[in-house]
Amino acid sequence: EEAENSSKHAEDVYYNMYSIKDIEKDTEVFNTYGDLPNATLLTSYGFIDEENEFDYFTISCAEVLLQCAYTLFTSKGISETISEEMNQY
């Protein structure tokens, strides 16, 4: 038997939207989610905006340096040069 405070199922979750002014019948209503990146939109609302001007990601300097080093030392010319140098010893 599930505990009373256990996680909710998707069908148990809903949102209420309230207007701050009167809306005429048959008027299209828009909802804004704010200036949010796609990661937040996806995890909070279940969608992304492919043309999201507020989308960003964070990358550390260490990640950039590691990728640069990997790319540099695994490219054909560099790896052949390193192999040749290593074979001399």
Side-chain angles (χ1 to χ4, degrees), residues 17-30:
M17 185 182 299
Y18 300 95
S19 173
I20 59 173
K21 63 181 183 178
D22 291 338
I23 301 171
E24 290 186 34
K25 184 180 177 182
D26 297 325
T27 300
E28 187 172 8
V29 177
F30 297 93

Side-chain angles (χ1 to χ4, degrees), residues 55-83:
D55 197 24
Y56 65 90
F57 65 93
T58 304
I59 187 167
S60 71
C61 289
E63 290 172 309
V64 172
L65 292 173
L66 284 171
Q67 186 59 47
C68 288
Y70 176 80
T71 302
L72 178 66
F73 291 112
T74 58
S75 66
K76 185 176 180 183
I78 297 296
S79 64
E80 286 177 1
T81 302
I82 292 172
S83 294

